[in-house]
């Protein structure tokens, strides 16, 4: 009756069971894993955030599969602040980074195709791939005084069904950023690159060798992912984006296909898109608070 892709084991692990017992006993719990910025005392520019939604245009519905022009331009402006040139016509607005992954898996993969994903990394990636009938095949991040990308493992993981290489910069949980030399070597595989950059604006130290974004690369098709959840510490406002880079013909074909896929869903809420420029402008207070805490 049910699909194989939804057949995921749901047994409770030992930690979940222990927490439930303690909670049922009425005992105090101190959760050191809480990462929800709205629940850990982060300061926000509250008035600016609320004011961002006072806009009469929110009463109109104007469906745009790739996103409203004002939202796409706000994302392009953010990349320009980073020193990365990206025209707003190369921006796709999504309801979340997770949806961005789903759009890209649909764009690049047929059922049974493979995406190379880093290990260790965030377990959600495997679930997202599975839900789109895509295999997440791991390559290794190795440690020798610092974390680095093991290119031999990338070569070993690649098969005829590999459709893209996924990188996370900085990676979760290692905190390691993609370096410019890494980016150049990845391009030699000739595969599209999906770069999750949601935490990129929170470095612990400065490093001139880091990439500002994978969009610095122009030899292969590149999809850079970001979103309000991390950049502005606003996970309750479900809005993400994809910056598309690479050879002009490939970019145009990718955007045309993404537009057809996104038009079937139209999930990015227009009021959020209209508020995006002001929300981006307001992020400084929360960003400074989180950076100071780190």
């Amino acid at each position: 009756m049910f699909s194989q892709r939804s057949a995921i084991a749901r047994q409770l692990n030992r930690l979940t069971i222990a927490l439930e017992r303690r909670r049922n006993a009425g005992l105090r719990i101190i959760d050191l894993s809480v990462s929800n910025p709205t629940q850990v005392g982060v300061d926000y520019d509250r008035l600016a955030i609320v004011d961002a939604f006072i806009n009469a245009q929110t009463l109109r519905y104007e469906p745009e599969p790739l996103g409203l022009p004002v939202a796409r331009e706000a994302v392009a402006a953010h990349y320009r602040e980073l020193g990365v040139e990206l025209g707003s016509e190369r921006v796709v607005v999504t309801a979340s980074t997770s949806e961005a992954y789903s759009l890209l898996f649909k764009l690049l993969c047929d059922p049974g195709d493979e995406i190379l994903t880093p290990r260790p990394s965030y377990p959600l990636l495997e679930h997202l791939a599975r839900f789109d009938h895509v295999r997440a095949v791991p390559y290794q991040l190795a440690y020798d005084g610092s974390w680095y990308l093991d290119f031999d493992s990338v070569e070993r993981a690649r098969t005829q069904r590999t459709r893209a290489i996924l990188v996370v910069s900085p990676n979760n949980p290692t905190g390691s950023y993609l370096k410019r030399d890494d980016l150049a070597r990845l391009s030699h595989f000739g595969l599209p690159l999906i770069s999750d950059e949601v935490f990129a604006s929170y470095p612990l130290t400065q490093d001139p060798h880091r990439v500002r974004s994978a969009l610095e690369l122009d030899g292969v098709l590149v999809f850079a992912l970001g979103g309000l959840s991390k950049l502005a510490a606003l996970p309750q406002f479900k809005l993400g984006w994809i910056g598309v880079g690479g050879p002009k013909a490939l970019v145009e074909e990718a955007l045309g296909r993404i537009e057809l896929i996104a038009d079937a869903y139209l999930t990015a809420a227009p009021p959020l898109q209209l508020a995006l420029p002001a929300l981006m402008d307001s992020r400084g207070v929360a960003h400074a608070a989180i950076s100071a805490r780190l």
Side-chain angles (χ1 to χ4, degrees):
M1 180 183 292
F2 300 109
S3 70
Q4 285 300 308
R5 58 180 162 176
S6 65
I8 298 173
R10 300 194 303 278
Q11 291 90 347
L12 301 181
N13 61 30
R14 291 170 59 196
L15 176 61
T16 302
I17 294 170
L19 280 171
E20 191 64 24
R21 287 174 177 168
R22 190 171 181 87
R23 190 175 289 113
N24 290 339
L27 300 175
R28 187 183 181 197
I29 296 172
I30 301 175
D31 187 350
L32 299 181
S33 71
V34 173
S35 59
N36 181 345
T38 68
Q39 295 183 5
V40 293
V42 170
D43 291 329
Y44 288 91
D45 189 344
R46 299 175 184 274
L47 184 59
I49 292 170
V50 173
D51 284 348
F53 292 92
I54 303 175
N55 188 336
Q57 287 183 285
T58 61
L59 299 175
R60 296 183 60 184
Y61 178 51
E62 298 178 359
E64 292 282 354
L66 298 181
L68 296 177
V70 65
R72 299 172 77 187
E73 175 53 36
V75 174
H78 165 63
Y79 281 105
R80 288 196 293 270
E81 290 175 6
L82 299 176
V84 177
E85 284 302 317
L86 180 72
S88 61
E89 74 281 357
R90 291 190 171 204
V91 172
V92 180
V93 180
T94 65
S96 64
T97 308
S98 294
E99 184 188 54
Y101 276 119
S102 184
L103 287 176
L104 294 177
F105 292 159
K106 290 177 175 66
L107 169 71
L108 299 171
C109 300
D110 290 317
D113 283 343
E114 300 169 353
I115 300 288
L116 302 189
T117 57
R119 178 181 288 175
S121 195
Y122 196 50
L124 177 64
L125 299 178
E126 295 180 13
H127 291 297
L128 293 175
R130 179 189 180 110
F131 293 149
D132 271 304
H133 290 297
V134 174
R135 290 190 63 227
V137 178
Y139 64 87
Q140 299 300 315
L141 298 180
Y143 186 81
D144 184 10
S146 62
W147 289 96
Y148 65 93
L149 200 160
D150 182 344
F151 282 93
D152 288 338
S153 72
V154 177
E155 187 63 59
R156 291 192 300 269
R158 184 183 179 186
T159 72
Q160 291 186 342
R161 300 210 68 170
T162 303
R163 295 295 175 261
I165 302 173
L166 195 158
V167 295
V168 186
S169 181
N171 184 61
N172 180 358
T174 67
S176 51
Y177 279 78
L178 194 66
K179 304 292 179 36
R180 289 192 171 87
D181 288 347
D182 297 334
L183 196 59
R185 291 186 66 179
L186 285 169
S187 70
H188 294 159
F189 290 99
L191 291 165
L193 189 67
I194 301 172
S195 180
D196 186 329
E197 300 168 358
V198 295
F199 284 112
S201 61
Y202 297 100
L204 291 176
T205 60
Q206 298 303 314
D207 183 348
H209 301 293
R210 290 178 186 148
V211 299
R212 294 161 294 182
S213 167
L215 292 168
E216 294 180 22
L217 186 66
D218 57 12
V220 298
L221 197 56
V222 175
F223 303 97
L225 278 54
L228 279 180
S229 177
K230 309 302 186 297
L231 181 65
L234 294 171
Q236 70 274 40
F237 297 155
K238 304 302 293 181
L239 202 71
W241 52 79
I242 307 168
V244 186
K248 185 173 184 292
L250 288 177
V251 169
E252 291 177 351
E253 181 66 18
L255 287 169
R257 290 176 179 237
I258 291 175
E259 183 172 14
L260 288 172
I261 300 168
D263 193 36
Y265 298 93
L266 293 173
T267 54
L272 269 173
Q273 295 188 61
L274 291 168
L276 184 58
L279 293 174
M280 296 282 263
D281 289 342
S282 76
R283 73 183 189 272
V285 173
H287 191 278
I290 292 171
S291 296
R293 185 173 299 191
L294 291 174

